[in-house]
Coordinates of all heavy atoms in Angstrom, one line a residue:
K138 N 13.9 -0.5 -14.4 CA 14.0 -1.2 -13.1 C 12.6 -1.8 -12.8 O 11.6 -1.4 -13.3 CB 14.4 -0.3 -12.0 CG 13.4 0.6 -11.4 CD 13.3 1.9 -12.1 CE 12.4 3.0 -11.6 NZ 12.2 3.9 -12.6
T139 N 12.7 -2.8 -11.9 CA 11.5 -3.4 -11.3 C 11.6 -3.2 -9.8 O 12.6 -3.5 -9.2 CB 11.4 -4.9 -11.6 OG1 11.4 -5.1 -13.0 CG2 10.1 -5.5 -11.0
V140 N 10.6 -2.7 -9.2 CA 10.5 -2.6 -7.8 C 9.6 -3.7 -7.3 O 8.5 -3.9 -7.7 CB 9.8 -1.2 -7.3 CG1 9.8 -1.1 -5.8 CG2 10.6 0.0 -7.9
W141 N 10.2 -4.6 -6.5 CA 9.6 -5.8 -6.0 C 9.2 -5.7 -4.6 O 10.0 -5.2 -3.8 CB 10.5 -7.0 -6.2 CG 10.8 -7.4 -7.5 CD1 11.9 -7.1 -8.3 CD2 10.0 -8.3 -8.4 NE1 11.8 -7.7 -9.5 CE2 10.7 -8.5 -9.6 CE3 8.8 -8.9 -8.2 CZ2 10.2 -9.2 -10.6 CZ3 8.3 -9.7 -9.2 CH2 9.0 -9.9 -10.4
I142 N 8.1 -6.4 -4.2 CA 7.8 -6.7 -2.8 C 7.7 -8.2 -2.7 O 7.2 -8.8 -3.7 CB 6.6 -6.0 -2.3 CG1 5.3 -6.3 -3.0 CG2 6.8 -4.5 -2.2 CD1 4.1 -6.5 -2.2
A143 N 8.1 -8.8 -1.7 CA 8.0 -10.2 -1.4 C 7.3 -10.3 0.0 O 7.8 -9.7 0.9 CB 9.3 -10.9 -1.5
L144 N 6.2 -11.1 0.0 CA 5.5 -11.2 1.2 C 5.3 -12.7 1.5 O 5.1 -13.5 0.5 CB 4.1 -10.6 1.2 CG 4.1 -9.1 0.9 CD1 2.6 -8.6 0.6 CD2 4.7 -8.3 2.0
P145 N 5.2 -13.1 2.8 CA 4.9 -14.5 3.0 C 3.4 -14.7 2.6 O 2.6 -13.8 2.8 CB 5.0 -14.7 4.6 CG 5.4 -13.3 5.1 CD 5.5 -12.4 4.0
W146 N 3.1 -15.9 2.1 CA 1.7 -16.2 1.7 C 1.1 -17.2 2.7 O 1.7 -18.3 2.9 CB 1.8 -16.8 0.3 CG 0.4 -17.2 -0.2 CD1 -0.2 -18.4 -0.1 CD2 -0.5 -16.3 -0.9 NE1 -1.5 -18.3 -0.7 CE2 -1.7 -17.1 -1.2 CE3 -0.5 -15.0 -1.3 CZ2 -2.8 -16.6 -1.9 CZ3 -1.5 -14.5 -2.0 CH2 -2.7 -15.2 -2.3
T147 N 0.0 -16.9 3.2 CA -0.6 -17.8 4.2 C -2.0 -18.3 3.8 O -2.5 -19.2 4.5 CB -0.8 -17.0 5.5 OG1 -1.5 -15.8 5.3 CG2 0.6 -16.6 6.1
A148 N -2.6 -17.8 2.7 CA -3.9 -18.3 2.3 C -3.7 -19.6 1.5 O -2.7 -19.8 0.8 CB -4.5 -17.3 1.4
P149 N -4.8 -20.5 1.6 CA -4.7 -21.7 0.7 C -4.8 -21.2 -0.7 O -5.4 -20.3 -1.0 CB -6.0 -22.5 1.1 CG -6.7 -21.6 2.1 CD -5.9 -20.4 2.4
V150 N -4.1 -21.9 -1.6 CA -3.9 -21.5 -3.0 C -4.9 -22.3 -3.9 O -4.9 -23.5 -3.7 CB -2.5 -21.6 -3.5 CG1 -2.3 -21.3 -4.9 CG2 -1.6 -20.8 -2.6
R151 N -5.5 -21.6 -4.8 CA -6.3 -22.3 -5.8 C -5.5 -22.3 -7.1 O -4.9 -21.3 -7.5 CB -7.6 -21.6 -6.1 CG -8.6 -21.6 -4.9 CD -9.9 -20.9 -5.3 NE -10.7 -20.9 -4.2 CZ -10.7 -19.9 -3.3 NH1 -10.0 -18.9 -3.4 NH2 -11.5 -20.0 -2.2
D152 N -5.4 -23.5 -7.7 CA -4.6 -23.6 -9.0 C -5.5 -23.1 -10.1 O -6.5 -23.7 -10.4 CB -4.2 -25.0 -9.2 CG -3.2 -25.2 -10.4 OD1 -3.1 -24.2 -11.2 OD2 -2.6 -26.2 -10.5
R153 N -5.2 -22.0 -10.7 CA -6.0 -21.4 -11.8 C -6.1 -22.3 -13.0 O -7.0 -22.2 -13.8 CB -5.5 -20.0 -12.2 CG -5.7 -19.0 -11.1 CD -5.4 -17.6 -11.5 NE -4.6 -17.3 -12.7 CZ -4.5 -16.1 -13.2 NH1 -5.1 -15.1 -12.6 NH2 -3.7 -16.0 -14.2
T154 N -5.2 -23.2 -13.2 CA -5.2 -24.0 -14.4 C -6.0 -25.3 -14.2 O -6.3 -26.0 -15.1 CB -3.7 -24.4 -14.8 OG1 -3.1 -25.1 -13.7 CG2 -2.9 -23.2 -15.1
A155 N -6.4 -25.6 -13.0 CA -7.0 -26.9 -12.7 C -8.5 -26.9 -13.0 O -9.1 -27.9 -13.4 CB -6.9 -27.2 -11.2
A156 N -9.2 -25.7 -12.9 CA -10.6 -25.7 -13.2 C -11.0 -24.2 -13.5 O -10.2 -23.3 -13.3 CB -11.4 -26.1 -11.9
P157 N -12.1 -24.1 -14.2 CA -12.5 -22.7 -14.5 C -12.7 -21.9 -13.3 O -13.0 -22.4 -12.2 CB -13.9 -22.9 -15.2 CG -14.0 -24.4 -15.5 CD -13.0 -25.1 -14.6
S158 N -12.6 -20.6 -13.4 CA -12.7 -19.7 -12.3 C -14.1 -19.7 -11.8 O -15.1 -19.6 -12.5 CB -12.4 -18.2 -12.7 OG -11.0 -18.1 -12.8

Side-chain angles (χ1 to χ4, degrees):
K138 80 269 184 199
T139 303
V140 181
W141 290 99
I142 60 140
L144 303 173
W146 181 267
T147 56
V150 178
R151 291 183 185 91
D152 189 346
R153 291 189 339 171
T154 61
S158 284

